Amino acid sequence: MSLWGWQWLLYCLHVPGSVWGLDGGGEGACQLIAKPVSGSVYRAGDVVIGGLFPIHVEAPLPEQEFRSIKENYTCTIFKQRAYRWLQTMIFAVEEINRDPALLPNLTLGFLASDTCRSEGTTLGAALAMVTGKETSVVETDCGTTPEVPVIIGDARSTASIVVAQTLGPFDLPMVSYLATCTCLSDNWKYPSFFRTVPSDAFQARGMAKLLRLQRWVWVGLVSEDDDYGKFGVQLLLQELQGSGVCVAYSEVLPKVPSKRKIRHIVDTIRGSTARVVVAFVGFTGHSGALMEEVVRQNITDKQWIASEAWVTYSTIASPKNMPSLAGTIGFALKKADIPGLGPFLTRLHPDGDYQKSDPFLRELWEEMFGCSLGVDLSVTLSSRRQCTGSEVIREGESQYADVSQLRASYNVYKAVYAIAYAIQDMMACRPGDGVFNGGQCPDIRKLQPSQIVHYLRGVNFSTPVGESFHFDMNGDPPASYDIINWHMTPEGTAEFVQVGHFLSSEGSDDQFLIDMDKVVWGGGSGDEVLVSVCSADCPPGTRHAVQKGRPVCCFDCLSCAEGEISNTTGSVECIRCPERFWSNPDRTACIPQLVDFLSYSDTMGVILSVISVSGATLTAGALATFLYHRHTALVKANNSELSFLLLLSLKLCFLCALVFIGQPKPWTCMLRHTLFGISFVFCISCLLSRTVVVLVAFRATLPGENLMRYFSPTQQRMGISLCTLIQVLICVLWLALAPPRPAERGDREGRGPRVVLECEVGSVVGFSLVLGYIGLLASLCLLLAFLARKLPDNFNEAKFITFSMLIFCAVWISFIPAYVSSPGKYTVAVEIFAILASSFGLLFCLFAPKCYIILLRPERNTKKYMMSK
């Protein structure tokens, strides 16, 4: 037996009632040892088109022991909708046969079988079609041209995969009308598979667009445990990656019905905070059981997103389900009005001819009218009445005769026409111009499946309803969906309202249009779009912080850091404010930073300015007093020239504090530190000179010593000038190499975020040398004054110098830590305070006692009094 024969045998052995094999009684014969379990409808023709339709949705259990062949297997649960699809195929075949221009001199036939919505039954029916239904097939005919060269079907993706994998190696074409799994677009795995329904890849793309458009970022998923559900959910998850939409749960309906599992799924739906549910389910009893449980638990706060398989399924949209499902929105296959189909469907009547040619008519009639045809003991025992024969099928009164939502039926219609136009292209072939075996054309009376595959790839036609149609390189059609919304009528029934459409194809831009004014939303929200989020959007001024172990849609709201803002609701990250700007207290806007420096308008600036001017004024007063009383004994005894220089330097020390107040500028920054350094060195130099003179004058006790000749006024001036010149040279080098300059420094303390304008020292070495030189002179002066502290009282200038230098050193030693730790403009205030404090210390310690004697105790300002001790 050929490979085909063994495959055929292997598959058929697993199909109850469809077992095929070798006849043990006749050598060289291929024998059918059992008929397929499903019924079929047949009409002869020059080319017979096969059709697979799930007329029933529950197949009998397969035979597992393989010891006997059980008879009278039947499928159950009749579906009017699928039977309409079969009748649509017959209608299209008859319409084509009546068209003299489409296929002249050629008649199409059909062989349509029931698949019972089972993979095994579907495969058995397909094998029966392509191998013939005769009781014996001669071996020489085994593996040759099959009776049915092309099959329309199946409705399910899983069954289509099984059949395509079995018949694909023999190039037998299939044109499915409802198998949407994107896996079937694999042209390498399924080279002979075509379909008139778009791939789920496009539907998933449309669903993702809808979720993003409505900002539904927290959704639940429900799917069936088959290829349709698995691949549909997988595609949707791929489309949602990086979009901000998260999945709260993903539940799978079991293949074998289970009340416990259904209840668990519905409990999950009810308990989840996700208010949007995307359901990739078919039109089976499983989806019906799911909705029944949803209604039983009275779940009315969910927005359902329906896949194309059930969005227009009237059985699910029954009045009892509408309180829970009203507002459902989903993507439906494109609808079309097929002229003449309605009267064709209502033509049926259960007379003898119809019942002989159509084994499904009796079930249709009995289900539609609730009566019984013929004599049946089980019916006799039941309460069902006998049919009178006067019943009439009317359009719209049953699911079978409802032609208002022709979607899957239209796909069947297009599939028949696609095959017809492929055959037309074959008939138009001219000998020598063909594509087979050196220009041969196909033999229309004996078509090979591979020939049909070739011509199907090239069909491009317009259907009788005016739609242009073709297959792409993967055998897929252009994607076209109607967006359907379930409205509840006043009577409580469902109305399928088209509120938009979605067009998509590979290599082109998608067209997604929806009229929001027409949409009635689910979950009891009515005209308002339902909100489905894991966490509410963060208010302005905060950002998302994803909760550990949860999807990115679940987050906490944290306030933005200082200097960062988020000015919109739902900001994921905070934005850093640009330079010279800072965040406001609410972290919602960037505002210009406060420019902060010690100015003359500040209270502290005013106080320090007043103290500085007061010190300079007091110094000037002392200088005036000494000038006015320069001929008195006290002034002469204190070296009037040094006193004048000392008072002048103190005045400069007081006035240099004013330069530290105000907005820092390049020239003020340079002037601050140089004026400060030179003024204080000048002052300490004068004080050091006086200390040395006092010490030498009273320590030179040896006869003949004349040390004072080395400390004449000229030499004192030279000493002061030399000491000051050294500081001048240090300042010149500092300003030349790395001068102080204005700088900005952020400061977050005090009144709030601000920019502190200050003077950077430029060179730490230069600044250290200036301060160190002042400290060196002050330390030397303190040491010498301490040595001269026990001189005669009336001439003890050293005591005052010692005390003033102690104050000076204490001030500047405590200045260092205060300067380092002070924030912002207070750094400058500390430096000014040190200057003023040390200056006042010198002024009061050195000149207050003298001014007291000169002004208030003039009797002491005599040479006699001063020499008395």
Side-chain angles (χ1 to χ4, degrees), residues 154 156-167 174 179 181 183-184 190 193 227-228 231:
D154 181 50
R156 297 175 61 240
S157 296
T158 302
S160 296
I161 291 171
V162 171
V163 177
Q165 288 177 337
T166 305
L167 303 181
M174 295 175 61
C181 179
C183 56
L184 289 165
Y190 310 105
F193 182 84
D227 292 295
Y228 172 74
F231 280 95

Side-chain angles (χ1 to χ4, degrees), residues 5-19:
W6 284 112
Q7 277 190 312
W8 169 33
L9 176 61
L10 178 63
Y11 276 99
C12 290
L13 282 174
H14 290 78
V15 180
S18 300
V19 183

